[in-house]
Amino acid sequence: DKDIVVKALERVQEGSGEEYLEKIIQIPIEIPDIRSDKLRNVLIEKLNSILVENPEVSFQQIHWQRLFESCIVPFIKNLRDINRLSNSVKFKLTSISAEIDFADMVAISILEIFLPPIYAWVKENKVLLTGPLDLYALVRNKSQQEWYEFYSTQIQSLLDAPNYKKNKVNSEIVINFLARLFPYFGQKIGKIYEVYDMSLFRRNNQIAHPEKFDRYFDLDIDNIRFKKFVRLESMMV
């Protein structure tokens, strides 16, 4: 990646990274980006192979189609993105495939990999996203549009954090993502993409149900690090 190398050289050489790179590389060969349709096909093939290897996982075709186009495809820019996503999903399904919905696991993995601040926010706001009782909403009587603007501002502040490497997304993309993944939240902000049916969410092991929510975070990076730390500490004792 030329841009990354140029920036790295500028830090080391304290000069023009572009000029220094030209001295190293006499005949550059530009490799064209893979076409979006081919990238999409590779993504589908990778995820299909994972699904075949885990037949016990819940898979709802209509729900998958809703999430795939709006919550998954927009974040995949190259083959590396596909490999990162597929490896993460494959690893998680080795332990909890019978207890989750495939589409939801892929979607929440997208947040964990590409939008870590949003992933952390989701993890900390179970009641807000899944219901059934949001005490904060009860004391703040707002219209759907007002709630939409309120959370858009909150989400944008997370995306604008100085220690976060931006993924070129804005709050509207994230809000729509969350509304599709969590219909309870979608109803609250006036973005309804799926019928709010708690019994269905429970039956399908979807993250939108309060009882299923925590399962999707059992194997996140922070939990894995914590468990390793606890094991090491116990061994030392």
Side-chain angles (χ1 to χ4, degrees):
D1 190 318
K2 182 180 177 181
D3 291 338
I4 293 176
V5 174
V6 166
K7 290 178 182 178
L9 288 172
E10 286 177 350
R11 288 196 297 269
V12 175
Q13 299 299 321
E14 297 182 353
S16 172
E18 185 83 33
E19 292 178 2
Y20 193 83
L21 188 61
E22 288 177 359
K23 294 179 181 179
I24 302 173
I25 308 296
Q26 281 75 40
I27 306 177
I29 300 175
E30 296 289 339
I31 301 175
D33 293 334
I34 185 171
R35 292 206 322 261
S36 59
D37 59 328
K38 286 190 175 182
L39 199 64
R40 179 191 178 92
N41 289 338
V42 174
L43 174 62
I44 292 174
E45 288 176 6
K46 284 269 192 180
L47 294 178
N48 274 342
S49 65
I50 296 174
L51 192 57
V52 170
E53 293 171 1
N54 297 273
E56 68 279 8
V57 69
S58 172
F59 181 81
Q60 310 302 317
Q61 184 67 40
I62 295 177
H63 182 58
W64 168 255
Q65 290 172 346
R66 288 195 186 106
L67 294 186
F68 184 72
E69 295 296 339
S70 56
C71 302
I72 299 169
V73 172
F75 293 87
I76 302 300
K77 307 300 182 184
N78 49 54
L79 291 175
R80 182 173 180 270
D81 290 344
I82 293 177
N83 289 330
R84 291 178 68 194
L85 177 62
S86 59
N87 288 339
S88 175
V89 173
K90 190 172 184 178
F91 169 72
K92 292 175 181 178
L93 291 185
T94 58
S95 299
I96 55 174
S97 60
E99 303 174 359
I100 53 91
D101 175 79
F102 184 75
D104 287 358
M105 178 55 79
V106 175
I108 203 66
S109 296
I110 285 282
L111 293 184
E112 183 180 19
I113 295 169
F114 302 108
L115 295 173
I118 306 302
Y119 177 81
W121 184 87
V122 168
K123 187 177 178 180
E124 295 169 0
N125 286 278
K126 174 180 176 179
V127 173
L128 163 65
L129 296 168
T130 66
L133 181 63
D134 186 350
L135 296 177
Y136 185 73
L138 292 177
V139 298
R140 299 287 295 272
N141 187 20
K142 295 177 180 288
S143 65
Q144 289 179 325
Q145 181 60 32
E146 287 173 329
W147 278 122
Y148 175 82
E149 293 172 356
F150 174 80
Y151 289 117
S152 291
T153 301
Q154 194 173 102
I155 292 297
Q156 192 61 54
S157 67
L158 294 173
L159 296 174
D160 291 338
N163 61 340
Y164 171 56
K165 182 181 178 181
K166 295 183 180 179
N167 202 292
K168 296 182 179 179
V169 300
N170 55 38
S171 61
E172 183 178 359
I173 293 174
V174 175
I175 286 286
N176 287 329
F177 185 116
L178 297 177
R180 285 180 167 86
L181 197 57
F182 300 99
Y184 173 84
F185 177 72
Q187 282 190 335
K188 182 176 180 179
I189 62 172
K191 298 286 183 179
I192 302 173
Y193 301 104
E194 189 169 342
V195 176
Y196 179 65
D197 186 341
M198 292 297 283
S199 61
L200 178 65
F201 301 156
R202 189 175 191 276
R203 187 163 60 251
N204 293 339
N205 288 323
Q206 290 178 227
I207 194 173
H209 195 282
E211 292 180 12
K212 312 298 181 179
F213 182 89
D214 293 331
R215 295 179 179 181
Y216 288 82
F217 302 95
D218 284 345
L219 291 176
D220 67 11
I221 294 174
D222 289 337
N223 266 341
I224 292 171
R225 287 173 178 167
F226 175 74
K227 290 174 182 177
K228 285 184 177 179
F229 173 78
V230 170
R231 282 199 297 269
L232 286 172
E233 192 175 55
S234 63
M235 289 174 64
M236 292 172 67
V237 172

